[in-house]
Amino acid sequence: MSEAAVATVRRDAEQGQAAAALRRTMVERQLRPFDVTDVPLLARFIEIPRELFLPASQAPLAYSDLAITVNGAGGNKRTLLPPLILARLLQGGEPRPGERALDIGGAGYSAALLAGLVGEVVALESDPELAARAKDGLSALGAANARVVTGPHQQGFAAAAPYDVIFVHGAVEAGLDTLFAQLTPNGRLLAIVTPETGAGQHVVRFERQDGQLAGRISLLSANAPVLEGFAKAPSFVF
């Protein structure tokens, strides 16, 4: 091996070690103090490199505690949830081995986390550029039980339904009915909504029992832009 090749291998190894250290710091300083207690989920956050799902220019932000806005095709923008909000969202869904999950608008990273917690993950992306990056990241990780599909977020992906759990990675004003219909009879759906006027945004878990929407549980306050496809239709003004 040439000296240049040896130097490249050494540099890649050092960068990998540095990123692994940042992931452990993220878990210890951001997630654990924020009541993220699910041990398998924390292990996934330590294992999965978030930078695989970001543009190279934003890789240094991968383990910050901030939301990250990334560009998609045609000038579309997507705001990725801060790690601590993402962790509480996923923990609130209680993903279990053998289950099927639909992951909407997570840009691939959340699907990679879920791939080690459930039996199958379908990652739905409306933006083709973000979908391509998600596919590349999942392929690099060898996540054979996760696949990326492209289409309108609010329509879900009926071809692989029903799902035991559905995660929506952004705020929702309207448009959940189609997704509820794609849940198993006792499935659950997690999204960021405003439970009541003036209440502010919250991560909410919707629960289905025997095929009927049975209730919802507010898990924590969280602010996020409305995810594409879930905006309330503007009312007509004279």
Side-chain angles (χ1 to χ4, degrees):
M1 183 180 295
S2 67
E3 291 184 4
V6 170
T8 298
V9 170
R10 182 179 295 116
R11 184 181 65 251
D12 290 346
E14 290 173 351
Q15 290 175 346
Q17 291 171 0
L22 288 173
R23 291 196 292 275
R24 290 191 293 270
T25 299
M26 175 185 69
V27 166
E28 295 302 326
R29 296 186 181 179
Q30 295 182 43
L31 306 191
R32 289 188 188 275
F34 203 59
D35 294 330
V36 181
T37 58
D38 185 282
V39 174
L41 177 61
L42 290 171
R44 294 299 289 172
F45 272 95
I46 290 174
E47 182 179 354
I48 301 300
R50 193 183 188 203
E51 62 270 20
L52 286 179
F53 302 93
L54 295 173
S57 62
Q58 292 176 289
L61 302 175
Y63 304 109
S64 72
D65 60 356
L66 304 173
I68 300 176
T69 299
V70 296
N71 294 322
N76 291 332
K77 294 184 180 296
R78 174 78 56 77
T79 299
L80 307 184
L81 298 175
L84 56 87
I85 301 299
L86 173 61
R88 288 288 299 274
L89 178 83
L90 297 180
Q91 179 174 266
E94 299 181 353
R96 307 179 184 106
E99 291 190 327
R100 178 182 291 132
L102 176 63
D103 195 64
I104 300 176
Y109 177 55
S110 49
L113 296 169
L114 288 167
L117 303 172
V118 300
E120 179 184 354
V121 187
V122 176
L124 174 61
E125 285 294 336
S126 63
D127 186 279
E129 188 169 323
L130 296 179
R133 188 181 299 133
K135 288 179 181 178
D136 289 344
L138 291 168
S139 177
L141 293 171
N145 65 330
R147 60 171 164 152
V148 180
V149 297
T150 306
H153 290 149
Q154 72 277 14
Q155 291 184 12
F157 189 66
Y163 303 97
D164 300 285
V165 60
I166 297 175
F167 297 96
V168 182
H169 294 275
V172 172
E173 294 177 340
L176 286 178
D177 289 346
T178 299
L179 298 183
F180 287 141
Q182 293 180 19
L183 285 170
T184 58
N186 294 297
R188 55 244 185 242
L189 182 149
L190 284 288
I192 297 175
V193 303
T194 301
E196 56 189 54
T197 303
Q201 293 180 336
H202 287 72
V203 173
V204 172
R205 169 174 163 148
F206 296 87
E207 297 182 342
R208 206 179 188 206
Q209 292 182 5
D210 300 324
Q212 303 294 320
L213 186 60
R216 59 187 185 183
I217 303 170
S218 180
L219 301 179
L220 71 152
S221 297
N223 294 314
V226 175
L227 185 63
E228 181 184 344
F230 294 104
K232 186 177 181 179
S235 56
F236 182 76
V237 178
F238 289 98

